[in-house]
Amino acid sequence: MGKINFVFYSMIFLVSVAMAGKPTAEEENLYNECDKGNGKYSSCTKLIEILSKKCDSGDMIGCSDLGYILGPKLGMREASITPYEKSCKAGIAESCFALGTQDIGLRGNIKKAVINYTTACEKFTDQKKLFKLRSCALKVALENCLRDEEEHDPVKCAIEAFEEITDKYNANSTKE
């Protein structure tokens, strides 16, 4: 599980950087203080407050960013699910990918992971080709894990597939 958590956090960080719109100067400052630690937990709580308001007002990138701050940044992975779900339902591919990863590593719900990776596969554009390919490959691999669930543990199969696909695409991304 340690490797899947590391991979999850690394990928979500990269996705968050790639998807981030133009944050306000205050948000950027709060994010940097929260991200770097520096004893500035108050920066994290203020950032959560700002992103929560954005999410509640219908800003789906704000919801996705909130999920990222709550989950990978602060370790509140269960709390990150609601904003990720909201933004995934709105078609934010990065949130769907994050949910798929949590469905495997946190909840062990492979059927739900397939749904979320399917959405991510459909919603990622060619500008984020590696994430699109990874999402599509995970969807197929997890469907195969579910087909054979009477013969083996689908969660174990899913974790192994996730690690294998992540390793494959991480190796490919360093060549590009």
Side-chain angles (χ1 to χ4, degrees):
M1 261 327 170
K3 184 176 180 182
I4 197 168
N5 288 335
F6 172 76
V7 170
F8 169 74
Y9 293 140
S10 299
M11 290 176 54
I12 296 304
F13 173 75
L14 294 172
V15 169
S16 178
V17 169
M19 71 183 272
K22 188 77 170 145
T24 66
E26 179 186 23
E27 289 170 5
E28 198 168 304
N29 184 46
L30 291 170
Y31 180 80
N32 286 331
E33 288 179 358
C34 179
D35 187 40
K36 307 269 186 308
N38 303 331
K40 301 275 186 175
Y41 184 76
S42 61
S43 296
C44 297
T45 56
K46 179 67 175 167
L47 184 58
I48 289 169
E49 182 182 315
I50 290 169
L51 294 174
S52 293
K53 287 179 183 175
K54 283 183 161 188
C55 183
D56 291 344
S57 70
D59 178 343
M60 293 303 112
I61 297 297
C63 285
S64 187
D65 289 346
L66 177 61
Y68 174 71
I69 294 297
L70 290 171
K73 284 285 127 213
L74 298 178
M76 301 166 59
R77 291 176 31 186
E78 287 288 341
S80 71
I81 290 172
T82 299
Y84 276 149
E85 284 178 338
K86 189 173 181 179
S87 56
C88 178
K89 286 179 186 173
I92 305 297
E94 291 84 356
S95 292
C96 298
F97 189 93
L99 277 173
T101 304
Q102 287 198 15
D103 289 328
I104 295 170
L106 182 62
R107 302 194 263 181
N109 188 340
I110 308 311
K111 290 177 183 176
K112 186 74 173 154
V114 168
I115 293 167
N116 287 319
Y117 286 128
T118 299
T119 304
C121 176
E122 293 168 356
K123 297 293 182 180
F124 272 120
T125 64
D126 287 338
Q127 293 168 329
K128 296 178 182 171
K129 190 171 186 168
L130 273 178
F131 284 107
K132 183 176 188 68
L133 292 171
R134 189 177 292 164
S135 300
C136 297
L138 283 164
K139 169 196 168 298
V140 171
L142 297 185
E143 287 172 337
N144 290 334
C145 290
L146 290 172
R147 267 190 217 107
D148 299 331
E149 68 183 308
E150 289 183 17
E151 294 179 29
H152 62 272
D153 179 3
V155 175
K156 183 178 177 186
C157 175
I159 291 169
E160 289 169 358
F162 182 89
E163 290 175 352
E164 181 181 314
I165 289 167
T166 298
D167 288 346
K168 174 185 174 184
Y169 285 99
N170 282 346
N172 287 341
S173 69
T174 58
K175 294 177 185 176
E176 292 178 3

